[in-house]
Amino acid sequence: MSPIDKLSQLFEKFPGIGPRQARRFVQYLLVASPAMRQDMAEQVRSLGTQTAQCKKCYRWFTKEHKIALCPVCADEHRDKSTLFVVEKDADIDNVERSGYKGLYFVLGGIIPLASEEPEKHIRLKELLKRAEEDANPRGDASMRLQEIILGLSATTEGDHTREILAEKLRGSGKISSLGRGLSTGSELEYADPDTIASALSSRS
Ligand SMILES: [Zn+2]
């Protein structure tokens, strides 16, 4: 297979990218400068060597000083009483801009409507374990988790996932969802920080 076809196939694996768009990316790289192609290849390679997945929230972050936790989880000043559950890493960046100061957990997906095995699509086991551990911290009781905020998109699959999580997390303390500030169909990743802040303050 030619490098053009091979690379097209790789781009097609990206979320939301079809064969035509994949071809356009390859065409762009063909006419780009050798330095740009070189830089691109190196950055892709360094994703594997310079980043790590946080052991607590599962988001990807740039490794510094061999710390196993991302900057948010490693920050002692974050509010340990709330855990914001999101679908993907990009949601965290957006929620951070809203001024939220608590902790996070990345589900790594969403549960499709027809699925009978939710744990195949999201980090359910890991979330239950985290909720259990944070609700019973060793030592300081002021570090105790008091509320889990289900920050899922206002889509049909988001609602479905929220229902299943609320059921599975029953007994893990207060479970809340974002308020209606988030309009129907909107995804957290694209909501503006003010909307998220208002949806957070009107959570229930
Ligand atoms: Zn983390």
Side-chain angles (χ1 to χ4, degrees):
M1 191 185 286
S2 80
I4 294 178
D5 291 338
K6 182 73 198 154
L7 196 52
S8 291
Q9 282 192 356
L10 288 172
F11 280 129
E12 270 183 60
K13 294 180 194 284
F14 285 36
I17 300 302
R20 285 167 99 174
Q21 284 162 307
R23 281 271 166 186
R24 283 175 59 198
F25 290 170
V26 178
Q27 289 299 327
Y28 174 78
L29 286 171
L30 280 171
V31 296
S33 68
M36 195 270 183
R37 279 195 297 268
Q38 180 82 22
D39 190 27
M40 176 113 185
E42 271 168 27
Q43 297 310 325
V44 170
R45 197 170 306 124
S46 69
L47 279 179
T49 55
Q50 293 174 26
T51 57
Q53 195 170 25
C54 178
K55 301 260 179 289
K56 263 189 115 168
C57 71
Y58 292 92
R59 82 191 291 198
W60 288 91
F61 68 104
T62 306
K63 267 190 292 195
E64 285 171 62
H65 320 300
K66 293 193 171 169
I67 294 174
L69 299 178
C70 75
V72 169
C73 292
D75 183 350
E76 290 174 12
H77 301 294
R78 300 289 298 208
D79 174 8
K80 308 274 191 295
S81 69
T82 56
L83 184 67
F84 200 118
V85 178
V86 296
E87 183 189 332
K88 54 192 180 303
D89 288 24
D91 296 339
I92 293 186
D93 300 332
N94 216 0
V95 176
E96 279 292 280
R97 282 184 219 113
S98 78
Y100 172 74
K101 293 285 176 238
L103 298 175
Y104 295 97
F105 183 89
V106 181
L107 285 175
I110 200 150
I111 307 169
L113 295 182
S115 175
E116 300 201 341
E117 293 171 286
E119 60 278 2
K120 267 190 162 175
H121 306 276
I122 60 167
R123 298 185 183 105
L124 183 58
K125 260 196 338 266
E126 292 87 344
L127 174 61
L128 296 176
K129 184 164 169 270
R130 171 81 189 268
E132 164 81 26
E133 283 172 0
D134 286 14
N136 304 291
R138 262 175 256 158
D140 193 352
S142 71
M143 311 281 267
R144 188 193 306 266
L145 173 66
Q146 292 173 15
E147 178 182 358
I148 298 175
I149 305 166
L150 301 178
L152 290 145
S153 298
T155 57
T156 323
E157 288 190 331
D159 288 340
H160 179 61
T161 305
R162 184 164 31 245
E163 278 167 26
I164 292 178
L165 288 181
E167 166 82 32
K168 300 276 183 192
L169 286 164
R170 192 172 289 168
S172 302
K174 183 178 180 196
I175 312 290
S176 63
S177 296
L178 291 181
R180 279 289 122 190
L182 214 60
S183 58
T184 306
S186 68
E187 293 188 35
L188 210 57
E189 184 183 351
Y190 305 111
D192 66 87
D194 288 345
T195 305
I196 295 178
S198 112
L200 254 173
S201 64
S202 63
R203 68 182 186 269
S204 54

